[in-house]
Amino acid sequence: MARARATLRDVAERCDVHLSTVSRVLNNKKGYAVSEEVADRIRRTAAELGYKTNPFAYSLRVNRSFTVGVLIPDLSNPIFPPIIRGIEHRLEQSGYTAILGDTDNRVEEERRIVERLKARQTDGLILATAHRADDLIRSCIDEGYHVVLINRSLDDDAVASVVNDDGAGIAMAVRHLLDQGHRKIAHIAGPQEISTGFRRYLAFMEAMQKEGLDPDEDLIAFCHNYSEKEGWAALRGLFEREKPFTAVVAANDLLALGCYDAIIEAGLSCPEDISVTGYNDMPFSDKFKPPLTTVHIPLHKMGEEAASAMLKLIEQTPDKTRQHRVTPHLVVRGSTARCNGPR
Amino acid sequence: MARARATLRDVAERCDVHLSTVSRVLNNKKGYAVSEEVADRIRRTAAELGYKTNPFAYSLRVNRSFTVGVLIPDLSNPIFPPIIRGIEHRLEQSGYTAILGDTDNRVEEERRIVERLKARQTDGLILATAHRADDLIRSCIDEGYHVVLINRSLDDDAVASVVNDDGAGIAMAVRHLLDQGHRKIAHIAGPQEISTGFRRYLAFMEAMQKEGLDPDEDLIAFCHNYSEKEGWAALRGLFEREKPFTAVVAANDLLALGCYDAIIEAGLSCPEDISVTGYNDMPFSDKFKPPLTTVHIPLHKMGEEAASAMLKLIEQTPDKTRQHRVTPHLVVRGSTARCNGPR
DNA sequence: ATGAAAGCGCTAACAA
DNA sequence: TTGTTAGCGCTTTCAT
């Protein structure tokens, strides 16, 4: 697109001063006393000509793009839009722009997309990628890239991350089901290579044991990714084992949605026969059939915090907090009900 | 982020040739016969050093960013992720990157965000913005920007656009309700300054009239934007008029969802008392309570087509098709049922 | 208080 | 077949 844009030189000529002076004024560099009179004239003509600094030239000069790459596994998963909005809002405040990279849930894509983002010279990378790619992360860091993780963390905490308290969240869900009289509770676990999947699974076990209920191995199924389809398949698998249960704690909302399908398919109904809880309180989870009881986490806020952490990294603001924690809470809706005795 | 990246010069020095030769080889410019021997050595060392062309320098030189701005009203509206994915997929094939701008449904934001995108020197603008901003569009074009519209069009067709056949879609919905025995059909119309809102309204009127049913003015409500809240308020307004109706055609899915709320609030139920149809077949519309009967449009494909049109514009490929039309079809689900007589 | 000049990394027109 | 050079628009160091 070849639009003629006013340059520093244009402004300088019109003002009959040297271009470096214009630059100083427009960026109000101090230490260079410029007469108010000249400064004023410069500012006025700049506005008049609609001068905007050319981002290419600027970036080339200062070697920064003022963009940050945001890697997500799947934009269609409703939890990501709010996160992204949060990131964008915060970034925008500081003049940065987010560049999205979507892996379509494919691991092989991850590396390729990160390369694309790096090629674009993003000043940092926010990874909201659900999939494990520790070596990828590590290599980014080794190359000197700034990295912030969302909803996952590396075991050794070497990387800044924004996470929610999965342990507390799952405990609330289990607690709620227990309060409703459920004892045979199944768990549809997320992928164990992902920190959320792993931590939620551990939390489930712990919460059950705390109640003196040793969770039955046969009532736990592991999914390969967070999708409706996996949730459906997993619960279907549990039904086939023919061990009774009256409730299921799904590791996230999409999985829970898949459980709905499996329950219907089995000729049962939720919550009458089986109660279901999700995790994330994604948009529209209150509109499903039935409205989903789930653990709410502040998605938008997590995005903002991730962006803040990234900006601190980029701007070298000292910040010892590596892990930014955010608090979940339970939202009780229609997918859970009192236990009607054993099934 | 200060990572040392190999430059053309680095490669040139290592190969003991002039940097311009390296440039030629790496961009395989023809017309400059370079001996295979040298070319090979250059390619090898470039790979070895991990050379990537610096996008700032390149963009500065050729005055193009290889990015296109994508303006949407609200990322949280589930119809946009598929559209955006479609855009990104196509753009990526040609080495372009999308830069998102979200107006949060606020008109005032629109101009500001377009300015931001322009400041970033995007090579074009894809506007999926629901809100009217004809003068904005016009000014973009006047300034020489490439513009493609999604799901809206200017009256005079001066701008490339990708639209679906709203007339056909609404006709199918109305037809379906008529077939189910409904006669008193209400319409929750979208904003009339938006082409979809306007066209769907006209299509509704026409479809009814074709059946000899003069639509009752009192059974039509207009919304200010496409949101659940507006749909809820609008249907609520209709209930207050106390004219009976047994079905409602909503101008989009979000509006339909709002109708669900109003129906429940009125102590009625869908589809037993009132049938509801939506428009867009947005993700998850099959998971609602009840699953929504709606008009499906190929969102991902629309995104791709918009991107293709944009690339043609940028690359100056001749293309006389200004309007790219896409065909909708009806998806019958649980929110519509046979009419149980007048209410 | 202001000007001059170098150079970020690249491409393209011109030379040899 | 390969080299030289100017210059995209900007910031910054040094000079005046």
Side-chain angles (χ1 to χ4, degrees), chain A residues 327-341:
Chain A
T327 320
H329 68 261
L330 187 72
V331 182
V332 177
R333 289 196 274 248
S335 66
T336 48
R338 284 212 64 79
C339 179
N340 296 323

Side-chain angles (χ1 to χ4, degrees), chain A residues 148-204:
Chain A
V148 172
L149 306 178
I150 290 194
N151 230 348
R152 36 170 325 202
S153 58
L154 250 40
D155 298 338
D156 58 4
D157 259 9
V159 191
S161 61
V162 178
V163 297
N164 85 92
D165 191 340
D166 290 298
I170 287 291
M172 289 187 270
V174 173
R175 184 72 259 158
H176 168 65
L177 291 171
L178 291 169
D179 287 349
Q180 301 279 68
H182 296 277
R183 284 301 172 270
K184 305 274 184 205
I185 305 178
H187 180 46
I188 301 299
Q192 296 300 291
E193 334 72 84
I194 299 177
S195 62
T196 54
F198 184 58
R199 286 202 305 258
R200 288 171 196 174
Y201 164 67
L202 288 186
F204 173 79

Side-chain angles (χ1 to χ4, degrees), chain B residues 235-250:
Chain B
L235 191 59
R236 201 166 188 252
L238 289 197
F239 281 139
E240 279 167 9
R241 297 189 196 159
E242 308 208 328
K243 294 243 191 161
F245 57 94
T246 62
V248 15
V249 170

